Amino acid sequence: MRLEGRVVIVTGAGRNLGRVYAKGLAREGAKVAAADIIDASGTVEEIEAAGGEAMAVSVDVTDEEATWGMAKSVHDRFGRIDGLVNNAALYQDLSLGPFFEITGEEWDRAMAVNLKGVFFCCKAVFPYMKDQEFGRILNIASNTVYKGTVGLIHYVTSKAGILGFTRSLARECGGYGINVNTVAPDYIPHERDNRERPELDEMNQKMRIIQRREGPEDMVGTIVFLLSSDADFITGQTLVVNGGAVMP
């Protein structure tokens, strides 16, 4: 197994995409900390039922002190922190509309979770990775950055920030043995999206070279790769996993 013995935190792992990522990492041998503002015990139960090892951590990524507590509890339990997958983000709960109708409050909400939350989580795990001279940080962005998707300028801007953040952080952390990369998927429908917005899923499928629905499982292989020793010489990069929807 490619992640045998490694300890990885996945934020936003209580449901949807994060739960799939956490389970995929556990299948590859990682000890997983499922971190979320909601109860992530269901994710832990599924991992343990499959023979893996995991723990649930309650955290609001916009609260810096809470992210420090998250990192400490994971290190106390497993003795190390090898990887961080910054998956927690606001998307479904954001208002859709032209930029001139988006409120400052809504803009700040998107930046607080999608960008500042990533910043806080990276700061929290850094001391542990620095001390062990090894770490893998993986940020989840979006290919809406390359599309310039209309109606989601707050979300798109927050995810564009992730690309620049990744490049700068990679340079700052490289001397400590810490690699930092980004994965950018296309639209991955959640259960609620399937009920309420099937036309969005269909439209995105038609824009891809591989014309089918993208699921969270399509991301797992790339995430595992970037956290594994196979990617030891890769840092500061963004890998687009989108079926060919855009080719930056």
Side-chain angles (χ1 to χ4, degrees):
M1 291 186 284
R2 298 165 78 183
L3 301 178
E4 185 71 39
R6 295 195 176 180
V7 176
V8 182
I9 299 171
V10 181
T11 65
R15 60 185 173 184
N16 296 330
L17 281 62
R19 177 174 287 195
V20 175
Y21 301 160
K23 290 165 61 178
L25 298 180
R27 286 196 301 272
E28 289 293 333
K31 299 175 182 178
V32 177
D36 209 315
I37 196 169
I38 66 169
D39 182 12
S41 60
T43 302
V44 172
E45 289 170 2
E46 291 187 28
I47 289 172
E48 290 178 340
E53 188 172 353
M55 66 179 290
V57 185
S58 177
V59 64
D60 175 356
V61 298
T62 68
D63 181 337
E64 185 170 13
E65 186 175 345
T67 62
W68 284 99
M70 170 193 72
K72 183 179 185 304
S73 64
V74 174
H75 191 268
D76 287 348
R77 166 73 181 273
F78 294 121
R80 58 187 299 114
I81 300 174
D82 299 295
L84 167 67
V85 179
N86 280 307
N87 168 71
L90 281 182
Y91 170 71
Q92 286 182 315
D93 294 329
L94 292 175
S95 300
L96 302 178
F99 82 96
F100 51 82
E101 292 182 357
I102 294 172
T103 66
E105 180 182 9
E106 184 88 340
W107 180 274
D108 289 344
R109 285 180 63 225
M111 299 304 156
V113 177
N114 298 0
L115 199 50
K116 187 167 69 173
V118 172
F119 170 59
F120 284 163
C121 289
C122 290
K123 286 182 68 178
V125 302
F126 173 73
Y128 302 101
M129 293 182 174
K130 176 176 177 286
D131 286 348
Q132 65 195 26
E133 298 182 336
F134 178 87
R136 297 290 180 265
I137 294 173
L138 185 57
N139 302 318
I140 306 297
S142 167
N143 75 178
T144 59
V145 173
Y146 303 104
K147 291 180 177 180
T149 301
V150 173
L152 278 169
I153 196 168
H154 40 357
Y155 176 80
V156 175
T157 302
S158 69
K159 291 301 186 179
I162 292 295
L163 272 60
F165 176 84
T166 293
R167 291 167 181 168
S168 291
L169 190 65
R171 289 196 180 276
E172 291 202 31
C173 291
Y176 302 107
I178 302 168
N179 293 19
V180 187
N181 291 290
T182 291
V183 179
D186 198 9
Y187 173 66
I188 300 177
H190 299 176
E191 182 180 351
R192 194 176 76 183
D193 291 323
N194 293 341
R195 291 198 303 266
E196 297 179 0
R197 303 170 66 196
E199 73 286 349
L200 181 59
D201 186 22
E202 182 178 352
M203 177 188 70
N204 278 279
Q205 289 185 49
K206 289 180 178 178
M207 294 172 62
R208 297 172 189 147
I209 295 171
I210 303 172
Q211 293 191 351
R212 65 162 175 81
R213 171 176 294 180
E214 179 170 5
E217 297 83 1
D218 292 311
M219 292 277 287
V220 171
T222 302
I223 292 172
V224 169
F225 165 68
L226 288 172
L227 293 173
S228 76
S229 58
D230 292 335
D232 282 351
F233 204 57
I234 299 175
T235 194
Q237 305 302 311
T238 299
L239 272 65
V240 181
V241 181
N242 68 356
V246 294
M247 294 177 281

